[in-house]
């Protein structure tokens, strides 16, 4: 396994073993072995080389014994299963970069559907204050169609679809609470995001008209928008010509209609199965003995019985109370990780 802190490094115990074959902790079902620390210069960074031995000190492994998982009863109904959730699509990016940024109160922009879509979330970047949470409001224009000079400041033409408090995460920005806005193919839907307790940033200029396509895929177009002043929602302070590309607006959406050919009946009863017994090995409790900072840690687990591993823990390097991004990998093929 390999856990890496993306927006903040992790801590573990430097040394404590001489080989990745050394058993650091074990129980009757598995062994956790000495691992290797990886440098903080991005995932799979080579900066520490292959000999930065590190015990997986804060890696608690949650798992189930496969033998405790009940077999599927033969008396289960053999009818069509419930339809799976439709896949999510993403257009745009919320990742921070400084090119052409300017502060503003909010941004208003249009999306044209090229297929029937259901839009579920939008992102943005607050103007600084990373790690904090700030209030926002997100609107859709009530009627389908692009926003115009005459309706962009008229709150009666807009419907609030998400609001509240959102954390401004370094690099990835903030995201609305989930909502549902369906846009038929060929139609245009206007959106408006405004920072309430802290303004937002976006890219000033970059387009000459709100008809300009800023980003697109096979299902939709995101068009150049207009920045709004920070003097409250629907503020007229910038007028109607403050063109701004929706630089940090990543759109999460689904294709409609779905699902195709859903089953007409589902099981009304099913046998009650006993819950399998959860196990854990290791500890994530903080102590300062032998700690060192690193980007991530790679380590091996040997199963002594058939197991199903469900979760892993770690300690970020400080920043308690905040939320930070991470990535967790397994080696695709069974076997220990190696120098190569």
């Amino acid at each position: 396994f390999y856990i890496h802190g993306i927006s903040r490094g992790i801590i573990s115990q430097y040394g404590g073993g001489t080989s990745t074959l050394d058993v650091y902790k074990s129980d009757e079902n598995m062994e956790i072995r000495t691992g290797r620390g990886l440098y903080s210069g991005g995932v799979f960074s080579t900066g520490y080389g292959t000999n930065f031995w590190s015990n997986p000190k804060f890696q608690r492994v949650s798992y189930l014994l496969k033998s405790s998982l009940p077999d599927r009863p033969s008396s289960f109904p053999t009818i069509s299963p419930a339809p799976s959730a439709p896949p999510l699509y993403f257009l745009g990016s919320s990742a921070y970069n400084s090119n052409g940024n300017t502060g503003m109160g909010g941004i208003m922009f249009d999306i044209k559907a090229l297929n029937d879509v259901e839009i579920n979330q939008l992102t943005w970047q607050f103007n600084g204050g990373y790690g904090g949470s700030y209030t926002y409001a997100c609107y859709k224009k009530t009627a389908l169609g692009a926003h115009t000079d005459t309706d962009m400041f008229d709150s009666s033409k807009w419907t609030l679809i998400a609001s509240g408090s959102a954390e401004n995460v370094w690099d990835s920005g903030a995201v609305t609470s989930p909502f549902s806005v369906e846009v038929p193919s060929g139609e245009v839907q206007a959106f408006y995001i405004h920072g309430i307790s802290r303004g937002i940033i976006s890219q000033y200029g970059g387009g000459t008209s709100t008809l300009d396509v800023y980003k697109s895929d096979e299902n939709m177009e995101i068009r150049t928008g207009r920045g709004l002043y920070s003097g409250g929602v629907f503020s007229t302070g910038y007028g109607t010509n403050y063109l701004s590309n929706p630089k940090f607006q990543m759109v999460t959406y689904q294709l409609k209609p779905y699902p195709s050919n859903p089953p007409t009946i589902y099981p009304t009863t099913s046998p009650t199965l006993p819950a399998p017994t959860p196990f854990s090995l290791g500890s994530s409790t903080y102590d300062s003995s032998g700690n060192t900072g690193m980007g991530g840690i790679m380590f091996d687990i040997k199963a002594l019985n058939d197991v199903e591993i469900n979760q892993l823990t770690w300690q970020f390097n400080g920043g308690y109370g905040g939320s930070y991004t991470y990535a967790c990998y397994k080696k695709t093929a069974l076997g220990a990780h190696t120098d190569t």
Side-chain angles (χ1 to χ4, degrees):
F1 289 91
Y2 170 32
I3 301 172
H4 199 99
I6 306 297
S7 58
R8 179 179 286 270
I10 73 168
I11 54 173
S12 200
Q13 182 180 15
Y14 176 60
T18 59
S19 162
T20 54
L21 296 177
D22 291 346
V23 176
Y24 176 55
K25 290 188 177 178
S26 65
D27 62 12
E28 66 275 17
N29 298 314
M30 66 169 59
E31 297 172 350
I32 304 176
R33 296 179 172 179
T34 293
R36 295 190 261 201
L38 277 79
Y39 190 61
S40 57
V43 293
F44 298 100
S45 174
T46 61
Y48 286 153
T50 60
N51 294 316
F52 198 81
W53 307 117
S54 179
N55 279 331
K57 179 179 177 182
F58 300 116
Q59 277 62 66
R60 187 181 72 233
V61 182
S62 299
Y63 67 96
L64 303 172
L65 276 181
K66 294 289 283 185
S67 60
S68 72
L69 298 176
D71 293 331
R72 179 183 175 90
S74 59
S75 60
F76 265 8
T78 56
I79 59 177
S80 301
S84 58
L88 294 177
Y89 296 81
F90 305 90
L91 178 59
S93 172
S94 62
Y96 179 82
N97 72 75
S98 59
N99 182 36
N101 292 347
T102 190
M104 57 186 65
I107 186 169
M108 197 173 283
F109 62 99
D110 302 325
I111 291 176
K112 180 176 180 179
L114 306 179
N115 287 300
D116 294 344
V117 297
E118 177 186 310
I119 297 171
N120 305 118
Q121 282 186 304
L122 298 172
T123 66
W124 73 98
Q125 286 268 356
F126 279 115
N127 193 351
Y130 293 104
S133 293
Y134 312 98
T135 52
Y136 73 95
C138 181
Y139 300 82
K140 73 166 188 174
K141 187 176 168 184
T142 307
L144 286 169
H147 74 283
T148 67
D149 293 0
T150 56
D151 63 29
M152 65 182 289
F153 304 124
D154 183 354
S155 62
S156 69
K157 305 294 185 183
W158 297 79
T159 299
L160 183 68
I161 56 173
S163 63
S165 180
E167 183 181 3
N168 199 31
V169 178
W170 167 246
D171 191 53
S172 60
V175 62
T176 65
S177 55
F179 56 80
S180 174
V181 175
E182 296 186 16
V183 189
S185 179
E187 296 288 351
V188 174
Q189 176 68 65
F191 290 92
Y192 169 35
I193 300 173
H194 199 98
I196 305 298
S197 59
R198 179 180 287 268
I200 73 167
I201 54 173
S202 200
Q203 182 180 13
Y204 177 59
T208 58
S209 162
T210 55
L211 295 176
D212 291 345
V213 176
Y214 176 55
K215 290 187 177 178
S216 66
D217 62 13
E218 65 275 17
N219 299 313
M220 66 170 58
E221 298 172 349
I222 304 175
R223 296 178 172 177
T224 294
R226 295 191 261 202
L228 277 79
Y229 190 62
S230 57
V233 292
F234 299 102
S235 175
T236 62
Y238 287 152
T240 60
N241 293 315
Y242 199 80
L243 294 173
S244 178
N245 279 331
K247 179 178 178 183
F248 300 117
Q249 277 62 67
M250 183 173 71
V251 181
T252 302
Y253 69 94
Q254 303 169 14
L255 287 178
K256 301 279 289 181
Y258 60 80
S260 59
N261 302 318
T264 56
I265 54 174
Y266 299 100
T268 56
T269 61
S270 60
T272 301
L273 301 178
T277 303
F279 294 83
S280 64
L281 176 61
S283 173
S284 62
T285 303
Y286 179 81
D287 74 78
S288 60
S289 174
N291 292 347
T292 190
M294 56 188 68
I297 186 170
M298 196 173 286
F299 62 99
D300 303 325
I301 292 175
K302 180 177 180 179
L304 306 179
N305 287 299
D306 293 344
V307 297
E308 177 184 301
I309 296 172
N310 307 116
Q311 281 187 308
L312 299 173
T313 65
W314 73 98
Q315 287 269 357
F316 279 117
N317 193 351
Y320 296 103
S323 296
Y324 311 99
T325 52
Y326 72 95
C328 181
Y329 300 82
K330 73 166 189 173
K331 186 176 170 185
T332 307
L334 285 172
H337 75 283
T338 66
D339 294 358
T340 56

